[in-house]
Amino acid sequence: MLAHGLGRSYGDAALIDGGKAVLTRRLDRMLDFDPETGWLRCEAGVSIEDILETFVPRGFFPPVTPGTKFVTAGGALGCDVHGKNHHVDGCWSNHVRRVELLTASGEVVTCDREQEPELFAATVGGMGMTGIILAMDVKLTPIHNPWIAMESIRVENLDHFFEVSAQSSSFTHTVSWIDCVKRGKGMGRGIFMRGRHANADEVGHASALTKLIEVADPVMAVPVNGPNWLLNNASIRLFNEAYFRKHPKGQKNVLQHFEPFFYPLDFVRDWNRIYGKRGFLQYQLVVPKTSDNAPLRAVLDAITKSGMGSFLAVIKEFGDLSNGGLSFPMPGVTLALDFANYGQPLLDLMERLDAIVVEAGGRVYLGKDARVSRATFRRMYPEWEAWKAVRDKWDPQRVFQSDLGRRLGLVGGAA
Ligand SMILES: Cc1cc2nc3c(=O)[nH]c(=O)nc-3n(C[C@H](O)[C@H](O)[C@H](O)COP(=O)(O)OP(=O)(O)OC[C@H]3O[C@@H](n4cnc5c(N)ncnc54)[C@H](O)[C@@H]3O)c2cc1C
């Protein structure tokens, strides 16, 4: 069996062919909250959306949030999710002090950094394979209001991105959209966004969009699958050009509501349908930073040469916090790409990207993966064996499995 939250992981992490998916969404109670410290004790099916609805009016925010609010606390810990504030605050697990886990023996084990610390560490980013998280203590961040003081800067190429990124360490949240079909001098151009929760005296004006959020959520929906030809190299190139040009040269400063800042995709229900029936694949990598960032350039070069552009691409520098085991973030630069499913040519491209990433000492995010090979995975996550030893100790009968775990050799005895 396998815990399944809101199913927002992109690949096979929350799937179990022929097994039982344990739907955790009804574990939705908030058990305790201390407004003095921000510690929330909640069940694992409580979603980030639930936390926002309950706590933003009370002056608190999730400590870390991915690019969608439709994820559960259990899923956030299972994938050890990161957000725009990784360089300051690390991952979800860095704000969790205690976990209640239903283990394979049927026993509920409370684990933290002192009590069963190995089990706690293996559960962080453990992709559901150590048991079913029932509840956790997570520390919320105090805020004054729902606004984000945001600056957006047009960056002209990859060097410019790193320059702006280096100047942005005082901002708690940073991320950049990147035009990954642009070649030559403009390779790596994009729009860099940096922000922080607004001060008490910084209150924005509710835009028509923000008002709409309150009455309809999500605001729009893609009603049918788009035709397969909709997203092709030419249309992606056109979109990227227009998006880049729409932003004036230089910098814009605004007070933005947190919803469009953190969750732009959540406004469009079933946004994945724009890829058509063939669907799409995500590829998120991290590589250590180097003086010339040659691996990153090699990745962008391979993509532009392939003619398979990524429709949505974001780049961000991670901070130094790394949680080991199967947790994805490590010091370096992360690039997240969405490719329409071009079939075998895309899988071939991804293998070429894997080779660059492994060579550079990097890895791909398991929460967004559906195809990396066992051998490549082992080179990307050298701690896998130690992680598996803990998992096997707690689950010798292999009660908890997933398609991802089987593919990567994490739940079986055989090498
Ligand atoms: C639009 C979009 C943007 C995203 N942006 C980001 C981002 O910025 N950063 C980032 O890190 N991720 C990002 N993600 C990925 C997403 O945050 C993670 O995959 C997250 O884990 C999904 O949560 P979920 O509740 O849907 O979990 P699921 O997808 O259902 O499960 C994910 C994994 O967690 C395990 N799991 C779930 N619940 C439990 C439980 N109770 N006990 C034990 N294990 C459990 C599952 O077994 C599975 O292995 C994004 C996804 C989308 C769709």
Side-chain angles (χ1 to χ4, degrees):
M1 63 173 71
L2 180 73
H4 184 102
L6 276 161
R8 285 322 198 267
S9 45
Y10 284 76
D12 50 3
L15 303 179
I16 174 164
D17 192 16
K20 290 190 170 66
V22 179
L23 307 180
T24 59
R25 191 60 182 106
R26 285 169 67 189
L27 288 171
D28 61 356
R29 288 175 304 169
M30 305 209 189
L31 304 168
D32 192 24
F33 180 65
D34 179 353
E36 294 297 314
T37 59
W39 280 108
L40 166 69
R41 184 150 185 268
C42 66
E43 291 185 332
V46 166
S47 70
I48 289 195
E49 183 188 28
D50 300 333
I51 295 177
L52 292 167
E53 276 178 7
T54 311
F55 287 101
V56 169
R58 291 172 168 81
F60 288 91
F61 206 79
V64 164
T65 178
T68 174
K69 61 185 174 181
F70 305 128
V71 308
T72 61
L77 194 71
C79 284
D80 201 16
V81 300
H82 58 273
K84 295 180 172 68
N85 56 344
H86 183 272
H87 60 291
V88 179
D89 295 317
C91 294
W92 181 265
S93 71
N94 298 107
H95 306 269
V96 170
R97 68 175 173 194
R98 194 171 58 160
V99 170
E100 256 178 45
L101 188 72
L102 177 61
T103 56
S105 65
E107 185 196 358
V108 175
V109 177
T110 301
C111 57
D112 56 31
R113 289 175 181 83
E114 270 95 48
Q115 205 178 328
E116 304 296 357
E118 282 185 344
L119 183 62
F120 179 81
T123 300
V124 166
M127 317 299 290
M129 287 179 278
T130 59
I132 297 176
I133 301 162
L134 299 178
M136 70 185 72
D137 288 8
V138 57
K139 191 171 189 189
L140 306 185
T141 304
I143 54 167
H144 295 290
N145 55 49
W147 299 94
I148 302 288
M150 185 190 88
E151 299 181 1
S152 61
I153 300 164
R154 196 164 110 171
V155 295
E156 304 297 334
N157 53 40
L158 205 56
D159 287 337
H160 192 194
F161 161 79
F162 281 110
E163 222 173 275
V164 175
S165 188
Q167 294 158 0
S168 304
S169 51
S170 63
F171 289 83
T172 47
H173 294 79
T174 63
V175 74
S176 185
W177 167 79
I178 177 172
D179 175 354
C180 66
V181 288
K182 186 72 185 165
R183 297 182 191 207
K185 272 201 325 224
M187 180 190 266
R189 71 179 184 177
I191 313 290
F192 193 102
M193 282 155 278
R194 57 192 191 190
R196 55 169 172 78
H197 287 286
N199 296 327
D201 57 349
E202 295 173 309
V203 179
H205 298 289
S207 64
L209 187 63
T210 313
K211 284 184 187 140
L212 257 177
I213 302 166
E214 283 158 19
V215 291
D217 187 13
V219 196
M220 292 174 273
V222 179
V224 289
N225 289 321
N228 282 350
W229 51 260
L230 187 64
L231 290 182
N232 56 48
N233 205 27
S235 62
I236 291 172
R237 195 175 292 279
L238 219 83
F239 167 81
N240 282 5
E241 191 66 40
Y243 192 74
F244 181 74
R245 299 267 162 229
K246 198 174 126 267
H247 194 286
K249 271 193 177 168
Q251 184 171 330
K252 275 198 319 196
N253 297 359
V254 287
L255 274 175
Q256 192 178 48
H257 192 272
F258 75 85
E259 296 260 10
F261 181 77
F262 286 109
Y263 313 115
L265 275 178
D266 288 352
F267 286 103
V268 188
R269 185 156 42 89
D270 301 330
W271 55 266
N272 47 306
R273 284 181 158 181
I274 61 166
Y275 290 94
K277 276 196 178 157
R278 64 186 167 170
F280 72 102
L281 277 85
Q282 263 256 346
Y283 190 91
Q284 184 167 357
L285 63 93
V286 56
V287 284
K289 220 175 132 181
T290 59
S291 53
D292 58 358
N293 288 299
L296 210 54
R297 288 179 205 280
V299 164
L300 292 173
D301 202 43
I303 295 169
T304 51
K305 281 196 181 128
S306 75
M308 287 176 280
S310 160
F311 179 51
L312 290 173
V314 294
I315 182 167
K316 166 168 177 66
E317 276 195 65
F318 277 149
D320 291 337
L321 269 173
S322 181
N323 293 323
L326 304 186
S327 178
F328 165 66
M330 62 187 271
V333 194
T334 183
L335 181 65
L337 306 152
D338 274 355
F339 292 98
N341 184 2
Y342 294 101
Q344 195 55 45
L346 178 63
L347 296 177
D348 294 344
L349 169 67
M350 289 184 166
E351 294 229 341
R352 292 201 292 282
L353 301 185
D354 285 347
I356 300 168
V357 170
V358 166
E359 188 60 33
R363 52 174 75 136
V364 297
Y365 185 14
L366 298 182
K368 296 190 176 178
D369 176 58
R371 32 68 50 195
V372 88
S373 74
R374 199 175 280 193
T376 303
F377 158 74
R378 288 179 178 180
R379 294 183 64 196
M380 290 177 168
Y381 287 87
E383 291 178 37
W384 72 271
E385 237 167 337
W387 177 89
K388 185 171 182 295
V390 177
R391 197 213 91 87
D392 290 350
K393 182 177 133 194
W394 285 90
D395 183 8
Q397 306 295 324
R398 296 186 282 141
V399 170
F400 298 108
Q401 303 198 11
S402 68
D403 290 351
L404 176 138
R406 292 166 181 166
R407 173 166 58 87
L408 301 179
L410 291 170
V411 286

